[in-house]
Amino acid sequence: MQSPLPVRNGVNATRLRLPSEGPWKTAMDYVLERFGHVDPDGIVNRFERGEVVGLGGVPLTAATPLNEHTFIWYYRELPPEERIPVDIGILHHDENLLVVDKPHFLPTTPGGMYVAESALVRLRVQLGIPDLIPMHRLDRMTAGVLLFSTNPETRGKYQILFEKRRISKEYEAVAPVREDLALPLTVRSRMIKSRTYLLAQEVEGEPNAETLIELMESRDGLGRYRLSPHTGKTHQLRVHMASQGIGILNDSFYPELLPQAPDDYARPLQLLARSVRFTDPLTREPVEYRSRLSLDAFPG
């Protein structure tokens, strides 16, 4: 459903579904009960200024009945964010695609305490492209190649590539070496990830996650690994490496969840999305985009 409000400062307006009935006479009464503990005066002021709208951009007032609109849109009041001290490198930019090198620690999209400090919002503001949309995601702690659509008219052609698994991805990781582990090795398992639980888990059942692990070189007990995922489950590479007793260096989640601590920018997770390959659906030509970043724990 298209938002009637444009992107503002790189951030989409928030959509809220209203209940069709209940003890609230007006839409504002419902919003106040749900979010009034945060900023009741701010909510009232937004309704009075006509900054809360329904489908078609129709402004709501303090007297708008609850059941007059199913969905409403408004801009959130965002708290100030401290800048994450990393920069995004641009690898390719044309009328259809933007390919970047996402640094460690920067989330792909807004979420939780990170809104302005996300790759999506930063790039929308920096490049002046409000329609920018990520084609896939990288974990906040993972760096490397990340694709965005710059053109809504051609976006679907690229989305199909991801949906049909016609994209080849290659990652690099630094992790300990196990002399008794025969590589290359294809790891298959069933993984689940709850919205309410921080970690992904491997469980019994039909495999839904597959990763090819290869050791490219080793030095002083550490190895530089090539990881080729056939699927894209949350934290898949981190879980599969840890399950083989070679957890990725500086991983605070797997194999053991460490106590929460401030980001240590000197010790990023040693996982990098090295390359993405596919046949461009518009030109029909094979393309490959490769990261220019490196993993500090295993310099070349």
Side-chain angles (χ1 to χ4, degrees):
M1 185 180 296
Q2 179 106 17
S3 170
L5 294 176
V7 172
R8 187 173 75 178
N9 297 327
V11 182
N12 295 87
T14 296
R15 185 182 75 177
L16 177 66
R17 185 185 184 107
L18 298 178
S20 58
E21 58 184 19
W24 314 276
K25 290 184 178 180
T26 67
M28 191 178 77
D29 289 340
Y30 171 75
V31 176
L32 279 169
E33 181 168 314
R34 183 164 177 181
F35 302 113
H37 62 285
V38 178
D39 181 18
D41 292 338
I43 291 173
V44 173
N45 289 338
R46 272 187 257 180
F47 274 89
E48 291 178 344
R49 294 194 301 263
E51 294 179 356
V52 181
V53 305
L55 199 61
V58 178
L60 279 70
T61 71
T64 300
L66 175 72
N67 60 3
E68 189 168 305
H69 296 273
T70 303
F71 292 99
I72 62 173
W73 286 263
Y74 60 93
Y75 294 112
R76 287 180 292 167
E77 296 294 335
L78 301 176
E81 294 178 50
E82 184 175 344
R83 188 180 189 278
I84 299 173
V86 294
D87 295 308
I88 305 172
I90 294 179
L91 302 174
H92 172 84
H93 186 193
D94 63 27
E95 66 274 16
N96 298 299
L97 278 183
L98 172 68
V99 186
V100 304
D101 250 341
K102 187 190 83 67
H104 294 101
F105 302 105
L106 191 70
T108 298
T109 55
M113 61 186 292
Y114 304 101
V115 178
E117 284 303 287
S118 64
L120 176 61
V121 174
R122 273 202 196 181
L123 289 166
R124 279 178 172 178
V125 173
Q126 175 185 335
L127 301 176
I129 308 176
D131 286 328
L132 196 68
I133 293 293
M135 292 287 89
H136 60 120
R137 284 168 172 76
L138 294 177
D139 291 343
R140 187 172 80 87
M141 293 303 183
T142 303
V145 179
L146 181 61
L147 275 64
F148 293 83
S149 164
T150 59
N151 185 350
E153 295 183 3
T154 60
R155 183 167 298 154
K157 295 183 182 296
Y158 291 96
Q159 287 175 327
I160 288 175
L161 297 180
F162 287 91
E163 292 169 4
K164 301 293 186 181
R165 296 181 183 172
R166 294 173 183 165
I167 303 278
S168 296
K169 301 177 186 177
E170 179 184 306
Y171 290 72
E172 287 183 18
V174 177
V177 171
R178 272 186 55 193
E179 299 295 343
D180 61 330
L181 183 63
L183 296 173
L185 170 67
T186 298
V187 180
R188 298 181 182 90
S189 68
R190 183 164 193 82
M191 290 181 55
I192 60 172
K193 173 72 167 66
S194 166
R195 290 182 178 273
T196 59
Y197 187 58
L198 191 62
L199 303 182
Q201 297 173 286
E202 291 183 295
V203 297
E204 295 293 328
E206 183 72 20
N208 62 359
E210 179 179 317
T211 306
L212 173 64
I213 301 175
E214 302 171 273
L215 178 61
M216 293 189 286
E217 57 181 317
S218 61
R219 185 189 310 145
D220 301 325
L222 290 178
R224 186 166 67 94
Y225 293 85
R226 179 189 294 117
L227 307 178
S228 304
H230 180 64
T231 53
K233 296 297 181 182
T234 300
H235 295 177
Q236 175 179 319
L237 303 179
R238 298 162 70 176
V239 170
H240 280 174
M241 289 290 282
S243 73
Q244 303 305 307
I246 48 173
I248 297 173
L249 213 62
N250 301 337
D251 193 339
S252 60
F253 282 18
Y254 309 98
E256 178 185 1
L257 179 62
L258 302 180
Q260 187 174 4
D263 290 338
D264 184 348
Y265 298 112
R267 299 182 72 251
L269 176 70
Q270 294 298 284
L271 179 60
L272 173 68
R274 173 57 70 193
S275 70
V276 173
R277 300 187 306 276
F278 57 92
T279 298
D280 190 286
L282 303 181
T283 66
R284 305 297 180 186
E285 296 292 329
V287 293
E288 179 178 14
Y289 300 106
R290 294 188 64 82
S291 173
R292 298 171 186 156
L293 302 174
S294 60
L295 297 174
D296 296 339
F298 205 102

